[in-house]
Amino acid sequence: MVDSVRPEPPFTLSGVVMTRHPERTVRLSRIATALGVLGITALLGALAVMVTSTAYVAVTKTKDWHAMLNWWDTRLALIAVLPVAFYAWRWNRIKVAWRFRGYHLGDEELYVRTGLLNRSLTVLAYARIQEVTVSSGPIQRHYRLATVTISSAAGHDAIENVDPQTAQDLRDQLTARARAWRVPV
């Protein structure tokens, strides 16, 4: 399935080959998704305990906690199934989404493509670039990855999860091209 899914117009450019991110970004995305699903599961579990406890006390007019524990089992298990089902669906989509991410340094613009379900192709003129930063969180450092953030008057765009050396090269190239294309005031 992964090989059969390809970006189509308007998210492709004729004659332009997008530079892909390293494949180890798939593992990083799966870890980030797993942590998000774990957080949602914990939140839903805490909410389920509060709601079912309140409902049990309202219905039975008693605070017998031992009987309440018997009442919780199946209802709380059903709440935990939803995030697990979402994660199972998302697991394969992460590899497919990796094919849709890329960037290209053109002659006059930077092209950044992201998204699987919500696709976007951002074209950023070098003359509009105001700031280029490179950052790397602890999980990114573990997988030897970095993020290049490009700031312009219109907002921020990011090229996420590239090699640290590539990130430094991108920062240097984007800064040099921004200086070259900037109109003197």
Side-chain angles (χ1 to χ4, degrees):
M1 176 182 170
V2 173
D3 293 327
S4 64
V5 178
R6 302 251 186 259
E8 71 277 345
F11 305 103
T12 58
L13 300 167
S14 60
V16 173
V17 177
M18 294 285 188
T19 304
R20 283 219 183 118
H21 302 289
E23 193 162 355
R24 62 183 177 273
T25 61
V26 173
R27 185 178 304 140
L28 180 72
S29 297
R30 286 180 173 163
I31 290 170
T33 302
L35 291 174
V37 168
L38 181 64
I40 290 171
T41 304
L43 183 66
L44 286 176
L47 183 65
V49 167
M50 290 181 353
V51 168
T52 55
S53 298
T54 304
Y56 180 79
V57 170
V59 169
T60 62
K61 306 281 192 250
T62 181
K63 293 183 180 177
D64 183 15
W65 297 102
H66 295 289
M68 188 185 309
L69 290 176
N70 292 334
W71 195 62
W72 275 343
D73 56 1
T74 54
R75 288 161 186 87
L76 293 180
L78 290 176
I79 296 289
V81 168
L82 295 173
V84 170
F86 171 75
Y87 184 63
W89 174 79
R90 182 81 175 111
W91 180 265
N92 189 34
R93 298 297 184 265
I94 289 171
K95 178 74 172 185
V96 175
W98 172 73
R99 292 187 164 279
F100 284 85
R101 300 182 66 102
Y103 63 92
H104 176 72
L105 295 173
D107 293 333
E108 299 178 13
E109 303 100 5
L110 168 69
Y111 303 96
V112 180
R113 183 177 63 201
T114 60
L116 173 63
L117 297 177
N118 296 325
R119 298 175 186 172
S120 70
L121 175 65
T122 304
V123 180
L124 183 62
Y126 295 130
R128 303 284 183 191
I129 294 176
Q130 295 175 345
E131 180 182 24
V132 180
T133 58
V134 176
S135 61
S136 184
I139 297 176
Q140 283 182 318
R141 283 192 304 272
H142 177 73
Y143 286 101
R144 298 179 326 274
L145 297 168
T147 298
V148 180
T149 305
I150 303 110
S151 301
S152 67
H156 301 286
D157 290 302
I159 302 173
E160 297 178 339
N161 300 330
V162 294
D163 290 317
Q165 186 60 45
T166 304
Q168 288 178 3
D169 293 343
L170 276 171
R171 180 196 60 206
D172 296 341
Q173 288 178 11
L174 289 172
T175 304
R177 290 180 185 199
R179 278 192 200 113
W181 279 94
R182 192 163 293 131
V183 177
V185 179

